[in-house]
Amino acid sequence: MAEVSYVKASRIFSGNPPVRAVDELSLDVSDGEFLVLVGPSGSGKSTALRMLAGLEDVDEGAIHIGGKDVTNVPPKGRDIAMVFQSYALYPHMTVAENMGFALKLRGVNKAEIKEKVAEAARMLDLEKYLDRKPKALSGGQRQRVAMGRAIVREPSVFLMDEPLSNLDAKLRVETRANIAALQARLGTTTIYVTHDQVEAMTMGHRVAVLKDGLLQQCDTPRALYDKPANAFVAGFMGSPAMNLKTVPLTSEGAKLDGLVVPLERRMMDKVAAEGLSTVTFGIRPESLALVSSSEQGMDMTVELVEELGADALMHGSIRIGDTPERFVVRVDGRTPPTLGQTVKIAVRDASEIHLFHPESGNRLTD
Ligand SMILES: Nc1ncnc2c1ncn2[C@@H]1O[C@H](COP(=O)(O)OP(=O)(O)OP(=O)(O)O)[C@@H](O)[C@H]1O
Ligand SMILES: [Mg+2]
């Protein structure tokens, strides 16, 4: 078991201009932690993981595992095990042989390999399949064999790159819970890459959000959701995404649809200190609510209703200045509004408003 540190680590691919696929990444992962790296496609997640595995050069900075600088140590010397998106199982070997292969290469004796494989198979519910070849397994079973192969090596760090992306939606949900439970049981430091923010939120002790090779924020799922450091993180974490719109400011608050949404004092002080006349206004779909026509609110024309059972997502337009802007509101699933209807919506609580700098996107409130 080990802690992991990226120390201003960069990977720069040649080209014109060169691509800083991972740009001065600094990140400390503690011993036993489950850290998720999340970000859109091309944000540098796989590159960051491969740098840790020793499969990609570190062009600047350093990487430490267990307090030791491993920047120039080859993959074999790093005591890590990686699970890829394509499980890369050996087709001609049985499940048991696949799982035990790394130990065999290491010269571990047969009895010990058998015992370790049996133990991993028990944990992963694979005991029935030990004599089968990979082609005779379902996608979920293959995924578990790939996990088993990593587990038997008892590495100090697990690295996983989108290990669930080949599974169907239901199996993904099941398997993500199993992986999280297994990690908790083994207590092995794990770095897990996904582009799926739901996976990130549900699995990670902490989540590191990457964009264009740059670390945006690393914190607990709760903190990322409640206090996104910038408009990018605010828009990326959460499903459906936070409503984010640049709106004019008045002396009382933010102007939407001819209505001034009052802002808390601390928020007004902050925008005044920054000398802003507009602000990026963020509100999550569940922080907006339908109100009766006699109450103060913003008019919204309903353009789409997605019924999810317990609740429904109402999509529609609210005017900001002269332009209709799309908003999503989470409403009660039993009495959703109908298409084309004009409804009135209001902010549930001013403390749930997020404000970001209109240019830098940085969070303005703490
Ligand atoms: N060998 C390479 N040569 C040049 N550029 C590369 C190379 N590998 C990756 N890149 C670039 O580096 C950036 C980061 O790629 P990376 O594969 O790390 O992204 P990712 O976040 O894992 O994306 P995805 O979610 O699609 O897997 C991308 O712009 C990619 O085009
Ligand atoms: Mg990738």
Side-chain angles (χ1 to χ4, degrees):
M1 269 157 244
E3 66 273 4
V4 167
S5 301
Y6 288 87
V7 189
K8 290 192 163 187
S10 304
R11 176 69 175 120
I12 305 153
F13 290 114
S14 54
N16 194 17
V19 181
R20 298 187 70 90
V22 173
D23 200 354
E24 297 195 11
L25 176 62
S26 290
L27 190 60
D28 293 313
V29 186
S30 23
D31 188 18
E33 187 172 4
F34 194 123
L35 181 105
V36 177
L37 279 178
V38 71
S41 184
S43 56
K45 307 177 298 291
S46 295
T47 306
L49 200 69
R50 290 167 53 82
M51 288 161 81
L52 184 55
L55 300 170
E56 201 75 74
D57 287 343
V58 179
D59 296 311
E60 295 170 358
I63 287 182
H64 298 181
I65 299 177
K68 200 175 118 213
D69 188 336
V70 297
T71 313
N72 298 308
V73 175
K76 271 202 301 222
R78 295 194 182 197
D79 196 18
I80 47 137
M82 193 148 167
V83 181
F84 297 93
Q85 174 178 352
S86 66
Y87 311 130
L89 302 176
Y90 302 110
H92 58 285
M93 292 184 192
T94 64
V95 167
E97 284 162 351
N98 262 287
M99 282 167 64
F101 190 60
L103 299 184
K104 191 173 161 192
L105 287 184
R106 229 187 258 167
V108 177
N109 72 56
K110 272 193 183 151
E112 196 180 334
I113 295 178
K114 198 167 173 203
E115 194 184 313
K116 292 249 162 78
V117 168
E119 193 189 334
R122 228 181 354 263
M123 267 190 244
L124 293 160
D125 204 12
L126 282 172
E127 287 161 297
K128 288 197 292 263
Y129 310 105
L130 283 173
D131 296 323
R132 286 206 202 165
K133 298 271 173 66
K135 70 170 188 299
L137 298 176
S138 71
Q141 290 159 349
R142 281 180 212 168
Q143 202 284 331
R144 299 209 300 274
V145 177
M147 288 291 300
R149 206 167 46 170
I151 291 171
V152 295
R153 293 173 53 189
E154 298 176 356
S156 46
V157 184
F158 285 132
L159 305 182
M160 304 187 194
D161 194 349
E162 312 234 9
L164 306 184
S165 51
N166 289 333
L167 306 182
D168 66 45
K170 186 164 175 281
L171 201 53
R172 278 179 83 120
V173 173
E174 253 175 63
T175 313
R176 82 179 182 221
N178 290 340
I179 292 181
L182 193 66
Q183 193 275 341
R185 202 162 132 204
L186 296 170
T188 310
T189 311
T190 301
I191 325 268
Y192 184 102
V193 164
T194 179
H195 63 266
D196 179 341
Q197 52 87 24
V198 177
E199 226 167 270
M201 293 283 278
T202 52
M203 295 179 85
H205 297 153
R206 282 187 311 153
V207 178
V209 185
L210 285 177
K211 180 192 172 221
D212 300 332
L214 291 165
L215 179 64
Q216 305 291 306
Q217 187 173 8
C218 178
D219 215 325
T220 59
R222 186 81 259 157
L224 285 182
Y225 196 78
D226 290 343
K227 291 190 173 178
N230 58 41
F232 174 79
V233 176
F236 191 73
M237 303 303 286
S239 178
M242 183 188 286
N243 299 290
L244 283 164
K245 306 291 170 189
T246 301
V247 302
L249 286 163
T250 71
S251 55
E252 276 89 48
K255 207 157 178 249
L256 288 94
D257 182 41
L259 176 91
V260 174
V261 176
L263 296 176
E264 290 184 321
R265 188 56 198 262
R266 63 187 175 106
M267 295 184 183
M268 289 309 290
D269 289 348
K270 187 73 186 182
V271 294
E274 297 270 341
L276 296 174
S277 58
T278 62
V279 74
T280 301
F281 178 94
I283 189 90
R284 294 216 179 265
E286 66 271 27
S287 300
L288 290 169
L290 282 167
V291 293
S292 72
S293 54
S294 59
E295 285 174 79
Q296 274 228 328
M298 299 167 275
D299 285 331
M300 174 159 151
T301 315
V302 181
E303 288 160 359
L304 171 73
V305 177
E306 293 177 288
E307 294 192 38
L308 303 175
D311 47 18
L313 300 172
M314 175 174 83
H315 301 246
S317 297
I318 294 175
R319 300 188 76 79
I320 295 176
D322 288 332
T323 20
E325 294 274 0
R326 206 84 191 273
F327 277 78
V328 183
V329 184
R330 197 181 281 277
V331 294
D332 184 18
R334 274 154 301 192
T335 51
T338 49
L339 282 190
Q341 198 183 344
T342 299
V343 294
K344 217 162 218 189
I345 63 162
V347 171
R348 280 182 190 273
D349 189 326
S351 68
E352 292 172 31
I353 296 169
H354 302 253
L355 296 182
F356 304 95
H357 194 284
E359 274 121 47
S360 69
N362 289 335
R363 185 179 188 82
L364 291 170
T365 41
D366 38 45

